[in-house]
Amino acid sequence: MVGPSLPGRPGNLTVEQEARLQELWTATLRVFGVQAPDRPEDADTQEPGSGTVTPDKKAKKKKHSMFRRRKDEDDDGASTDQEDKYGQGKEFQHVLATQDPEKLRSAFWSMVKHDHPDGLLLRFLRARKWDVHNALVMLIATMNWRMKDQHVDDDIMTKGEGQAKEDSASSNAAVKKEGEDFLAQLRLGKSFLHGTDKEGRPMCFVRVRLHKQGEQSNTSLERYTVYTIETARLLLASNVDTADYAPVKFMIKCFEANYPESLGVVLVHRAPWIFQGSHTTLQMSKDELTTVGVWNIIKGWLDPVVASKVHFTKNLEELEQFVEKSHIVKELGGDDPYEYQYVEPKTGENARMSEESTRQRLVDERASTVREYEKITQEWIADSQNRATLQQRRNDLAERLRLGYWQLDPYVRARSLYDRTGLIREGGVIQFYGEPETQNPPKSLAAVPQNGPPPLEHRADDVD
C-alpha cells in the first residue's frame, strides 16, 4: 500500500534498529575490503587475495564487541543457531577464507539494482531478528549463492529468454534440452506475473496443475524459479509491505535463505483436499502405512514467519479478502480479463547489450556513485552529530543509484516477456493496468502513476 514506510524499513527505524543497521554496514564493508578513510594503520588488515581479515589485538577487541559471542556459536564464529538449516554459518567461513572481497562487493551491488541499499540490508536483519552476526552470515552466503551457485547476474538475467531460444536450436543435445525446458515453462505459463493485491504488492500466479514431475530437468526448474523471482523484484513499487517436492523445496530455500523478507503472502487457491488439510497415504515400508498431511510436511520445512504468510482460499469471496475482484483474473472467477500468452523473443531486442562504450560509461558512473555512497555511509556511522544531514545525502545517492540502474538496465539485462508486453517500460516505469505502451515513453517517472496513485517517493526496499 502506498503511504508511510512500514516499521523496520528505511525512514521508519527505532534508535536500536538504526544502530543494528550501522553495525551491519560496518561489518559488511569490512568484509568487502572497504577501508574507512581515517582508519589507523594498526587497524584490521586484509591479506592480499585471501579474502580473510587479520585483526590485531586492538581491533580484535573491537570486533568481538560488535559480535558478542553467544552460547550458540562455534569457536570459529559460525552460528549453530537452529535457524541455520541451510548451513550458511559454515559456508560463511568458507567464503571469507576463499573468496576475493571485491567479488563479494560486486555481487552485493549487482543485487541492489534499483533497491535502496539500506532496504536490502534491512531485509537480512529482519529475517534474522536483528541479530547482526546472523544477518551478515546470511548476506555473505547469499552473495556467494548468487555468484557461484546460480550465476544470477552474469548468466540467468544477462542471457535470459533470448539465449534460451538460441540454445533450444543447438546441435548439442544437453544444451538443446535445457533451452527447450526453460522455454517450455514460459510458454505453458506455469507461473506468471500480473497485477497487484490490496496492499499494492505484485502478484505471481503459479499454476501448479501445469507442473508434471520429470517433464523438465531440475536445473531448468531452478533456473526458471530464480528468473521469475529476479524479474518480480523489478516490479516492486514504492512503500508497500511484500506433490513434486523438489521444486517446492528449492522455492522455499530461495525465499528463506537468499531472498529474505521478500514474500508478502502466499494464497493457495482451491487446493485439492489431499493437500490443504486432509491426509494422503504414504508407504513407509513393505508392511507399514502411515497418513501424513501434505501441508503438514511442507509446513515443517518452513520458517514459522514464512508459514504464517500461507493462506488457503476455497472460493472467490475468500480470495477477495486479499485481492480486489477487479484485479482477480477471470480464470479464477474475477473481473480482470487478462489471459496469459507468451510472446517470443524478438530479433534485435537485446541490441543495446552489444553497445560496449555506452554500457561501460554507465557502469563507471554507477561505480562512482557506489563509492560515494560507501564513503558517506562510513561518515554517517562515525559522525553522530550530523547523522540526519548525512542520512539525507545517503538517500539522495540511493535515488541516484535507482535512476542510474534503469539507465543501465537495457545494457546488462536481456529483455523478458514483461518488457515485450509493456509491463516493464523504459526507465523503470511499471504498468500492470491501463493504456498500452506508447512509442514515446515519458522521461520523468514521477509523472507516471505506477500501479495506482503516484507514490510519495520510490522505495522498492519497503516491498515484501
Side-chain angles (χ1 to χ4, degrees):
M1 139 185 338
V2 175
S5 296
L6 293 163
R9 276 74 171 176
N12 195 5
L13 300 176
T14 66
V15 173
E16 180 66 19
Q17 288 171 346
E18 184 178 67
R20 298 288 82 77
L21 176 61
Q22 290 178 332
E23 288 182 20
L24 183 54
W25 267 117
T26 299
T28 299
L29 292 175
R30 181 181 299 168
V31 170
F32 292 167
V34 178
Q35 297 288 338
D38 57 348
R39 196 159 197 171
E41 293 182 0
D42 61 348
D44 294 6
T45 57
Q46 185 177 320
E47 297 177 3
S50 68
T52 60
V53 174
T54 307
D56 65 1
K57 294 179 180 179
K58 293 180 182 178
K60 188 174 183 179
K61 183 177 180 181
K62 180 179 179 181
K63 184 177 180 180
H64 284 180
S65 68
M66 178 181 297
F67 302 130
R68 295 178 180 85
R69 188 167 301 282
R70 305 190 315 266
K71 63 182 180 180
D72 61 348
E73 288 183 6
D74 289 332
D75 290 338
D76 63 358
S79 174
T80 59
D81 196 305
Q82 291 182 351
E83 291 182 351
D84 189 25
K85 59 184 177 183
Y86 299 111
Q88 291 183 321
K90 291 183 178 179
E91 184 179 358
F92 171 73
Q93 294 299 326
H94 176 73
V95 170
L96 289 187
T98 60
Q99 280 296 344
D100 180 356
E102 181 57 33
K103 289 184 177 179
L104 292 171
R105 176 173 173 266
S106 178
F108 171 80
W109 288 107
S110 292
M111 184 178 184
V112 168
K113 291 184 169 62
H114 64 302
D115 279 359
H116 192 304
D118 277 356
L120 184 57
L121 260 64
L122 286 167
R123 291 182 191 278
F124 289 92
L125 279 169
R126 294 198 305 274
R128 288 297 174 257
K129 302 176 176 61
W130 300 94
D131 183 302
V132 175
H133 176 71
N134 286 346
L136 179 67
V137 167
M138 187 184 194
L139 173 68
I140 300 306
T142 293
M143 295 309 107
N144 193 57
W145 176 84
R146 293 178 67 87
M147 182 173 55
K148 292 293 184 181
D149 296 345
Q150 294 298 327
H151 294 274
V152 176
D153 295 305
D154 63 345
D155 181 8
I156 293 178
M157 301 307 291
T158 301
K159 295 180 179 178
E161 299 166 27
Q163 184 63 50
K165 189 170 184 178
E166 288 186 24
D167 289 348
S168 68
S170 173
S171 58
N172 182 305
V175 172
K176 179 182 176 69
K177 175 168 173 53
E178 291 302 321
E180 289 176 339
D181 284 358
F182 183 78
L183 285 175
Q185 297 173 86
L186 285 161
R187 288 165 176 161
L188 274 173
K190 188 181 289 187
S191 66
F192 61 87
L193 305 167
H194 175 71
T196 55
D197 68 3
K198 286 185 175 181
E199 302 297 322
R201 297 175 293 211
M203 294 188 292
C204 178
F205 294 81
V206 181
R207 295 148 136 182
V208 179
R209 69 181 185 277
L210 298 180
H211 175 70
K212 300 294 187 292
Q213 184 175 5
E215 272 193 347
Q216 286 92 34
S217 68
N218 283 339
T219 300
S220 69
L221 284 168
E222 292 183 3
R223 187 181 183 89
Y224 177 72
T225 299
V226 173
Y227 182 75
T228 302
I229 296 173
E230 279 293 308
T231 303
R233 289 184 66 221
L234 297 173
L235 309 184
L236 302 182
S238 55
N239 290 345
V240 291
D241 192 21
T242 103
D244 173 16
Y245 291 156
V248 175
K249 278 190 170 181
F250 180 74
M251 191 177 298
I252 289 169
K253 180 181 183 296
C254 280
F255 280 113
E256 287 192 347
N258 304 118
Y259 295 94
E261 292 291 303
S262 297
L263 190 66
V265 64
V266 175
L267 303 179
V268 184
H269 188 57
R270 292 198 296 237
W273 66 269
I274 201 171
F275 179 86
Q276 63 174 315
S278 59
H279 293 76
T280 180
T281 302
L282 302 176
Q283 184 170 352
M284 305 299 290
S285 63
K286 289 183 179 180
D287 56 358
E288 178 186 10
L289 293 175
T290 185
T291 57
V292 182
V294 175
W295 167 237
N296 288 334
I297 293 174
I298 295 176
K299 189 176 181 180
W301 299 336
L302 296 174
D303 179 278
V305 174
V306 175
S308 70
K309 296 180 179 182
V310 178
H311 302 271
F312 292 88
T313 58
K314 299 187 293 292
N315 51 50
L316 181 62
E317 183 179 0
E318 292 181 357
L319 199 57
E320 284 184 79
Q321 295 176 23
F322 302 91
V323 186
E324 295 288 354
K325 188 177 181 181
S326 61
H327 286 188
I328 299 174
V329 293
K330 285 190 174 181
E331 180 180 333
L332 300 180
D335 294 336
D336 185 348
Y338 176 83
E339 293 183 6
Y340 177 85
Q341 183 176 3
Y342 183 64
V343 178
E344 297 286 332
K346 299 177 181 178
T347 302
E349 65 180 13
N350 296 317
R352 280 183 284 184
M353 296 184 73
S354 300
E355 297 178 16
E356 295 183 7
S357 60
T358 303
R359 181 179 67 247
Q360 191 58 52
R361 175 179 60 79
L362 293 170
V363 166
D364 290 343
E365 289 176 0
R366 183 172 177 83
S368 176
T369 305
V370 163
R371 287 193 295 271
E372 189 174 353
Y373 186 91
E374 291 172 338
K375 178 178 178 295
I376 296 300
T377 294
Q378 291 173 324
E379 293 179 13
W380 168 69
I381 294 168
D383 187 353
S384 59
Q385 299 299 316
N386 297 299
R387 192 154 288 162
T389 300
L390 291 167
Q391 179 59 57
Q392 184 57 54
R393 289 178 63 186
R394 295 177 73 244
N395 287 340
D396 292 344
L397 287 168
E399 177 65 4
R400 193 194 302 174
L401 285 170
R402 182 186 73 82
L403 294 172
Y405 170 75
W406 285 114
Q407 289 182 315
L408 177 63
D409 178 77
Y411 300 89
V412 296
R413 179 181 65 86
R415 300 300 86 183
S416 70
L417 161 69
Y418 304 103
D419 297 277
R420 293 190 286 277
T421 57
L423 194 162
I424 302 175
R425 305 190 178 190
E426 195 76 18
V429 176
I430 306 302
Q431 192 69 50
F432 284 111
Y433 312 104
E435 297 299 321
E437 185 175 17
T438 62
Q439 293 298 314
N440 299 305
K443 296 181 179 179
S444 173
L445 302 189
V448 181
Q450 298 185 39
N451 311 329
L456 296 176
E457 64 177 280
H458 187 100
R459 266 212 292 265
D461 51 283
D462 290 327
V463 181
D464 282 354

